[in-house]
Amino acid sequence: MNRPHAIIVMGVSGCGKSSAGEKLAEALHLVFVEGDALHPTANVEKMSKGIPLTDEDRMPWLDRIGEDMKASLEKSEGIIVSCSALKRIYRDRLRAAVGGNLFFVYLEGSRALLMKKVEEMMA
């Protein structure tokens, strides 16, 4: 149990992935990476136009997250990344990237709470 771990803080938009990930990283003295910052330019452009990403769009992004986590683990450093990771195929791809040394923290909330948080983000 002394080896470093990669941790994904996951959940839907507005659930607090970034806030929780930052606090967890601080408490565990680990690096925190905002997963959304790793999206390719094409994904950012689509999202800015309100166009939903497809699984095909997400795969290079997930691969980049996986590469960053693997690089940290290879340096014997733990890492925490925020990433929605809502589909099993996404989680499986991330697990494969780090050889299974990956934990997921799933955040959830009531529909009313999540809607309020998203409205606050959009204001």
Side-chain angles (χ1 to χ4, degrees), residues 62-77:
L62 294 168
D63 291 342
R64 171 73 191 280
I65 291 171
E67 290 165 8
D68 282 13
M69 290 188 304
K70 182 178 179 183
S72 285
L73 294 176
E74 287 175 346
K75 294 185 290 187
S76 295
E77 298 171 357

PDB file of all heavy atoms in Angstrom, residues 62-77:
ATOM      1  N   LEU A  62      -9.253  11.214 -22.999  1.00  0.00           N
ATOM      2  CA  LEU A  62      -9.043  10.186 -21.984  1.00  0.00           C
ATOM      3  C   LEU A  62      -7.620   9.633 -22.058  1.00  0.00           C
ATOM      4  O   LEU A  62      -6.995   9.364 -21.025  1.00  0.00           O
ATOM      5  CB  LEU A  62     -10.072   9.068 -22.143  1.00  0.00           C
ATOM      6  CG  LEU A  62     -11.520   9.473 -21.866  1.00  0.00           C
ATOM      7  CD1 LEU A  62     -12.478   8.386 -22.336  1.00  0.00           C
ATOM      8  CD2 LEU A  62     -11.733   9.793 -20.397  1.00  0.00           C
ATOM      9  N   ASP A  63      -7.115   9.479 -23.272  1.00  0.00           N
ATOM     10  CA  ASP A  63      -5.740   8.997 -23.441  1.00  0.00           C
ATOM     11  C   ASP A  63      -4.743   9.981 -22.836  1.00  0.00           C
ATOM     12  O   ASP A  63      -3.762   9.576 -22.206  1.00  0.00           O
ATOM     13  CB  ASP A  63      -5.424   8.750 -24.909  1.00  0.00           C
ATOM     14  CG  ASP A  63      -6.186   7.556 -25.483  1.00  0.00           C
ATOM     15  OD1 ASP A  63      -6.683   6.724 -24.694  1.00  0.00           O
ATOM     16  OD2 ASP A  63      -6.293   7.467 -26.717  1.00  0.00           O
ATOM     17  N   ARG A  64      -4.986  11.262 -23.006  1.00  0.00           N
ATOM     18  CA  ARG A  64      -4.096  12.287 -22.428  1.00  0.00           C
ATOM     19  C   ARG A  64      -4.129  12.225 -20.907  1.00  0.00           C
ATOM     20  O   ARG A  64      -3.086  12.290 -20.238  1.00  0.00           O
ATOM     21  CB  ARG A  64      -4.513  13.668 -22.929  1.00  0.00           C
ATOM     22  CG  ARG A  64      -3.819  14.825 -22.264  1.00  0.00           C
ATOM     23  CD  ARG A  64      -2.358  14.974 -22.697  1.00  0.00           C
ATOM     24  NE  ARG A  64      -1.652  15.914 -21.865  1.00  0.00           N
ATOM     25  CZ  ARG A  64      -1.698  17.247 -21.969  1.00  0.00           C
ATOM     26  NH1 ARG A  64      -2.426  17.802 -22.927  1.00  0.00           N
ATOM     27  NH2 ARG A  64      -1.015  18.012 -21.159  1.00  0.00           N
ATOM     28  N   ILE A  65      -5.309  12.079 -20.336  1.00  0.00           N
ATOM     29  CA  ILE A  65      -5.430  11.940 -18.886  1.00  0.00           C
ATOM     30  C   ILE A  65      -4.667  10.690 -18.439  1.00  0.00           C
ATOM     31  O   ILE A  65      -3.910  10.730 -17.466  1.00  0.00           O
ATOM     32  CB  ILE A  65      -6.911  11.880 -18.452  1.00  0.00           C
ATOM     33  CG1 ILE A  65      -7.581  13.236 -18.671  1.00  0.00           C
ATOM     34  CG2 ILE A  65      -7.034  11.434 -16.989  1.00  0.00           C
ATOM     35  CD1 ILE A  65      -9.085  13.229 -18.469  1.00  0.00           C
ATOM     36  N   GLY A  66      -4.868   9.602 -19.161  1.00  0.00           N
ATOM     37  CA  GLY A  66      -4.167   8.357 -18.829  1.00  0.00           C
ATOM     38  C   GLY A  66      -2.662   8.510 -18.892  1.00  0.00           C
ATOM     39  O   GLY A  66      -1.930   8.015 -18.023  1.00  0.00           O
ATOM     40  N   GLU A  67      -2.164   9.213 -19.914  1.00  0.00           N
ATOM     41  CA  GLU A  67      -0.723   9.442 -20.055  1.00  0.00           C
ATOM     42  C   GLU A  67      -0.183  10.262 -18.887  1.00  0.00           C
ATOM     43  O   GLU A  67       0.896   9.963 -18.350  1.00  0.00           O
ATOM     44  CB  GLU A  67      -0.427  10.160 -21.374  1.00  0.00           C
ATOM     45  CG  GLU A  67      -0.644   9.311 -22.595  1.00  0.00           C
ATOM     46  CD  GLU A  67      -0.713  10.124 -23.884  1.00  0.00           C
ATOM     47  OE1 GLU A  67      -0.442  11.352 -23.856  1.00  0.00           O
ATOM     48  OE2 GLU A  67      -1.050   9.531 -24.923  1.00  0.00           O
ATOM     49  N   ASP A  68      -0.906  11.296 -18.486  1.00  0.00           N
ATOM     50  CA  ASP A  68      -0.469  12.131 -17.359  1.00  0.00           C
ATOM     51  C   ASP A  68      -0.432  11.331 -16.059  1.00  0.00           C
ATOM     52  O   ASP A  68       0.507  11.446 -15.268  1.00  0.00           O
ATOM     53  CB  ASP A  68      -1.377  13.349 -17.202  1.00  0.00           C
ATOM     54  CG  ASP A  68      -1.080  14.442 -18.221  1.00  0.00           C
ATOM     55  OD1 ASP A  68      -0.362  14.184 -19.196  1.00  0.00           O
ATOM     56  OD2 ASP A  68      -1.575  15.568 -18.014  1.00  0.00           O
ATOM     57  N   MET A  69      -1.456  10.505 -15.848  1.00  0.00           N
ATOM     58  CA  MET A  69      -1.479   9.694 -14.636  1.00  0.00           C
ATOM     59  C   MET A  69      -0.344   8.670 -14.652  1.00  0.00           C
ATOM     60  O   MET A  69       0.357   8.493 -13.645  1.00  0.00           O
ATOM     61  CB  MET A  69      -2.831   8.985 -14.491  1.00  0.00           C
ATOM     62  CG  MET A  69      -3.967   9.928 -14.177  1.00  0.00           C
ATOM     63  SD  MET A  69      -5.542   9.111 -13.773  1.00  0.00           S
ATOM     64  CE  MET A  69      -5.824   8.079 -15.198  1.00  0.00           C
ATOM     65  N   LYS A  70      -0.147   8.013 -15.789  1.00  0.00           N
ATOM     66  CA  LYS A  70       0.918   7.017 -15.905  1.00  0.00           C
ATOM     67  C   LYS A  70       2.283   7.650 -15.651  1.00  0.00           C
ATOM     68  O   LYS A  70       3.117   7.086 -14.944  1.00  0.00           O
ATOM     69  CB  LYS A  70       0.887   6.369 -17.292  1.00  0.00           C
ATOM     70  CG  LYS A  70       1.924   5.284 -17.468  1.00  0.00           C
ATOM     71  CD  LYS A  70       1.823   4.642 -18.822  1.00  0.00           C
ATOM     72  CE  LYS A  70       2.899   3.564 -18.952  1.00  0.00           C
ATOM     73  NZ  LYS A  70       2.890   2.973 -20.272  1.00  0.00           N
ATOM     74  N   ALA A  71       2.508   8.840 -16.207  1.00  0.00           N
ATOM     75  CA  ALA A  71       3.786   9.530 -16.020  1.00  0.00           C
ATOM     76  C   ALA A  71       4.022   9.840 -14.539  1.00  0.00           C
ATOM     77  O   ALA A  71       5.140   9.679 -14.034  1.00  0.00           O
ATOM     78  CB  ALA A  71       3.823  10.816 -16.853  1.00  0.00           C
ATOM     79  N   SER A  72       2.984  10.265 -13.845  1.00  0.00           N
ATOM     80  CA  SER A  72       3.122  10.544 -12.412  1.00  0.00           C
ATOM     81  C   SER A  72       3.466   9.279 -11.642  1.00  0.00           C
ATOM     82  O   SER A  72       4.359   9.276 -10.792  1.00  0.00           O
ATOM     83  CB  SER A  72       1.834  11.144 -11.847  1.00  0.00           C
ATOM     84  OG  SER A  72       1.700  12.477 -12.247  1.00  0.00           O
ATOM     85  N   LEU A  73       2.752   8.211 -11.932  1.00  0.00           N
ATOM     86  CA  LEU A  73       2.990   6.956 -11.220  1.00  0.00           C
ATOM     87  C   LEU A  73       4.386   6.412 -11.509  1.00  0.00           C
ATOM     88  O   LEU A  73       5.034   5.855 -10.620  1.00  0.00           O
ATOM     89  CB  LEU A  73       1.923   5.929 -11.584  1.00  0.00           C
ATOM     90  CG  LEU A  73       0.505   6.274 -11.123  1.00  0.00           C
ATOM     91  CD1 LEU A  73      -0.487   5.240 -11.632  1.00  0.00           C
ATOM     92  CD2 LEU A  73       0.424   6.416  -9.618  1.00  0.00           C
ATOM     93  N   GLU A  74       4.862   6.589 -12.732  1.00  0.00           N
ATOM     94  CA  GLU A  74       6.209   6.124 -13.081  1.00  0.00           C
ATOM     95  C   GLU A  74       7.285   6.896 -12.331  1.00  0.00           C
ATOM     96  O   GLU A  74       8.389   6.396 -12.132  1.00  0.00           O
ATOM     97  CB  GLU A  74       6.436   6.206 -14.590  1.00  0.00           C
ATOM     98  CG  GLU A  74       5.681   5.127 -15.346  1.00  0.00           C
ATOM     99  CD  GLU A  74       5.783   5.250 -16.857  1.00  0.00           C
ATOM    100  OE1 GLU A  74       6.224   6.312 -17.369  1.00  0.00           O
ATOM    101  OE2 GLU A  74       5.400   4.284 -17.544  1.00  0.00           O
ATOM    102  N   LYS A  75       6.961   8.123 -11.892  1.00  0.00           N
ATOM    103  CA  LYS A  75       7.884   8.923 -11.081  1.00  0.00           C
ATOM    104  C   LYS A  75       7.636   8.685  -9.591  1.00  0.00           C
ATOM    105  O   LYS A  75       8.142   9.425  -8.757  1.00  0.00           O
ATOM    106  CB  LYS A  75       7.726  10.410 -11.402  1.00  0.00           C
ATOM    107  CG  LYS A  75       8.137  10.788 -12.817  1.00  0.00           C
ATOM    108  CD  LYS A  75       8.083  12.285 -13.033  1.00  0.00           C
ATOM    109  CE  LYS A  75       6.656  12.780 -13.037  1.00  0.00           C
ATOM    110  NZ  LYS A  75       6.492  14.191 -13.407  1.00  0.00           N
ATOM    111  N   SER A  76       6.827   7.678  -9.276  1.00  0.00           N
ATOM    112  CA  SER A  76       6.451   7.354  -7.895  1.00  0.00           C
ATOM    113  C   SER A  76       5.736   8.508  -7.213  1.00  0.00           C
ATOM    114  O   SER A  76       5.904   8.764  -6.026  1.00  0.00           O
ATOM    115  CB  SER A  76       7.674   6.933  -7.069  1.00  0.00           C
ATOM    116  OG  SER A  76       8.188   5.734  -7.588  1.00  0.00           O
ATOM    117  N   GLU A  77       4.913   9.204  -7.993  1.00  0.00           N
ATOM    118  CA  GLU A  77       4.111  10.305  -7.473  1.00  0.00           C
ATOM    119  C   GLU A  77       2.630   9.997  -7.685  1.00  0.00           C
ATOM    120  O   GLU A  77       2.248   9.540  -8.750  1.00  0.00           O
ATOM    121  CB  GLU A  77       4.448  11.613  -8.193  1.00  0.00           C
ATOM    122  CG  GLU A  77       5.887  12.058  -8.009  1.00  0.00           C
ATOM    123  CD  GLU A  77       6.259  13.230  -8.888  1.00  0.00           C
ATOM    124  OE1 GLU A  77       5.418  13.687  -9.689  1.00  0.00           O
ATOM    125  OE2 GLU A  77       7.408  13.686  -8.775  1.00  0.00           O
TER     126      GLU A  77
END
